[in-house]
Amino acid sequence: MSLAATGDLVREAAAGGRAVAAFNIITLEHAEAVVAGAERVRTAVVLQLSENAVKFRDGQLLPIARAAAACAEAAAVPVALHLDHVKSPELLRQAADAGFASVMYDAAHLPYGENLEATRSAADWAHANGLWIEAELGEVGGKKGDAPLDPHAPGARTDPDEARRFVSDSGVDALAVAIGSTHAMTTRTAALDHALLARLAKALDVPLVLHGSSGLPDSELAAAVAGGIRKVNIGTALNVAMTEAIRSNLTGADPRPYLAAARTAMTATAAAMISALN
Ligand code: G3H
Ligand code: ZN
């Protein structure tokens, strides 16, 4: 199947009152497992690569992007490629030629005016190059191993009025909102601010994106989708599954048995989390 477009997958999910799952991949095994999990539950999916994952590859985008694209093209379900948490304008500009249908431009750490200015210029570039663009307002904490933000700290929640202005002034296609989730949680114990999500869904007419979704139990994921979240970003849950499987299968010198176990475990995680959103 040829590569899908993230915007189309989000639109189709929204039309059905669902959310599309977008999984952060680091290795080829992550990509293979996400595709296998999506095929198992016969549902479209997004494979996403973060700027941090590219840094892990010594800044080389193409080797892992081409591998992900090949997995996507071989899939029996629609799969789109998304470049995630991009801060570097140089990396942003590589997206279109590397098979990505969409990008998330992340200037959420900047003060409002600077976030808006940087995001507007990223959106102009993205649209001129045929890409769907997501941005973030209010900051979902815990990025790159940072300490989680205090959920009551200023900036740890997205303000609906500010969000409406931000979307209209920046021209982005989707908005990541801070409603109580935190990146990199290894337990599924977080709870969302559903009242705030309801206000955001009412105030905004672009799809809302949830980050840091690994920390949420299935019931919270389902409630987020019911409340209007249309793209759900998941990374750490795959890494937890992978690392546990490797730990329990780490014998001998051949990496294939433990990598196969890791892929099997990540496939099960991906399938289960996609199902929680549908
Ligand atoms: O953009 C990526 C996600 O927000 C993943 O967050 O690793 O906490 O699931 P997570
Ligand atoms: Zn994120």
Side-chain angles (χ1 to χ4, degrees):
M1 206 173 271
S2 55
L3 283 174
T6 311
D8 292 344
L9 300 187
V10 172
R11 242 187 316 280
E12 282 157 25
R18 295 175 280 108
V20 65
F23 290 97
N24 286 75
I25 61 164
I26 300 173
T27 66
L28 173 58
E29 283 70 24
H30 283 74
E32 292 170 328
V34 170
V35 168
E39 286 175 332
R40 187 178 291 175
V41 292
R42 296 191 178 82
T43 304
V45 77
V46 177
L47 289 177
Q48 51 188 25
L49 261 176
S50 71
E51 182 168 306
N52 281 335
V54 175
K55 280 186 186 148
F56 167 71
R57 305 252 159 230
D58 258 350
Q60 295 300 308
L61 173 64
L62 284 184
I64 185 73
R66 285 189 174 145
C71 292
E73 283 162 357
V77 293
V79 181
L81 296 190
H82 174 85
L83 196 56
D84 194 32
H85 283 295
V86 176
K87 289 184 173 154
S88 146
E90 292 71 37
L91 180 61
L92 178 71
R93 278 161 182 69
Q94 294 176 46
D97 293 335
F100 292 88
S102 57
V103 294
M104 184 266 193
Y105 190 70
D106 185 356
H109 54 291
L110 298 175
Y112 179 88
E114 290 171 45
N115 183 0
L116 175 60
E117 197 175 317
T119 303
R120 183 166 37 207
S121 124
D124 288 347
W125 180 87
H127 291 150
N129 286 275
L131 298 177
W132 183 94
I133 182 167
E134 168 191 336
E136 179 174 321
L137 183 70
E139 197 171 7
V140 181
K143 292 173 191 172
K144 284 191 298 190
D146 293 350
L149 276 185
D150 174 341
H152 302 292
R157 289 283 193 275
T158 306
D159 176 77
D161 292 330
E162 196 170 68
R164 187 170 32 212
R165 268 202 321 278
F166 183 83
V167 166
S168 135
D169 292 351
S170 64
V172 293
D173 301 299
L175 189 71
V177 289
I179 54 172
S181 59
T182 299
H183 286 93
M185 282 184 67
T186 53
T187 57
R188 300 182 69 184
T189 50
L192 296 174
D193 185 339
H194 296 286
L196 176 57
L197 174 58
R199 291 173 56 216
L200 287 162
K202 199 165 166 212
L204 296 165
D205 53 11
V206 293
L208 304 183
V209 182
L210 186 64
H211 281 242
S213 310
S214 295
L216 296 165
D218 282 355
S219 56
E220 282 293 90
L221 290 175
V225 176
I229 291 288
R230 297 298 170 230
K231 175 172 176 277
V232 172
N233 286 15
I234 302 161
T236 304
L238 293 182
N239 300 335
V240 168
M242 177 184 217
T243 305
E244 276 172 6
I246 290 177
R247 246 188 226 118
S248 346
N249 289 275
L250 202 50
T251 52
D254 185 345
R256 285 171 290 189
Y258 66 76
L259 287 177
R263 194 169 45 198
T264 300
M266 287 192 283
T267 299
T269 298
M273 294 194 79
I274 294 169
S275 298
L277 310 179
N278 286 278

